[in-house]
Amino acid sequence: MTSTFPNISISTERLVLRPFDESDIEAFAEMMNDEQVTAWTSVPQPYTEAHARDWITRRAPAERTEGRGIVFAVSEFLTQRLVGIVHLQNTDWRVRSSEISYVVAPWARGEGYASEAALAAAHWLFRDQDFERLELRTAADNAASQQVAQKIGCISEGVLRNAWIARTRAGDGEWTDVRTDVIVWSLLPEDLAGVAEQLADTGGFTSYSDWN
């Protein structure tokens, strides 16, 4: 029988990680059309509201029900505005391991939201779901994503050479594919000791809770 994650929400002091709903479609499409998202992910470009609807109503729920992972919409606790996404994917239930990825809307960057959301997801995965490993892969030139990995306590394990296709603007303004190396990071339960306190000292979150 395939294992699955529970359909839950997780809260921090500033954020709520929750299931997507159809009211997120417009904001999600806008976020996924950002140039940084286009450059470092494989999402369609342009990213239409039809793409967003398919993701929110079909593809994201299937990640959980089919046992592959879980998708969280990340919104501000006070405003309920969508600030990003956290995706646990490629989950191996025997090894108790999953891979994390995240996107933050351009207007919400620089607030520590990616670190806060990723760390909350990691705490939940290790504490409540008894997982033993969380993996993160970042393109070699994606410095912002690498900073998040370092902030949440990830350890760099090595480089996969020529393993990803990123995108860049050509001289005519069109997007073109470029090959890039990938850095593999890992996070284990013991790596989390002291990370929350360090983030609190630098303006990050200080606690989280979850509920069904």
Side-chain angles (χ1 to χ4, degrees), residues 135-206:
E135 188 171 299
L136 171 63
R137 300 186 176 203
T138 64
D141 292 329
N142 189 349
S145 188
Q146 292 164 33
Q147 288 173 359
V148 173
Q150 293 169 337
K151 283 183 179 179
I152 67 174
C154 290
I155 304 300
S156 175
E157 293 186 330
V159 176
L160 303 178
R161 296 185 300 162
N162 222 23
W164 184 249
I165 297 177
R167 289 178 283 204
T168 188
R169 287 282 193 188
D172 59 3
E174 295 296 317
W175 287 102
T176 184
D177 291 345
V178 291
R179 298 201 70 93
T180 182
D181 295 345
V182 169
I183 302 173
V184 179
W185 308 77
S186 69
L187 188 69
L188 306 183
E190 56 265 32
D191 297 329
L192 290 179
V195 173
E197 288 81 0
Q198 292 172 17
L199 283 179
D201 291 340
T202 58
F205 82 104
T206 56

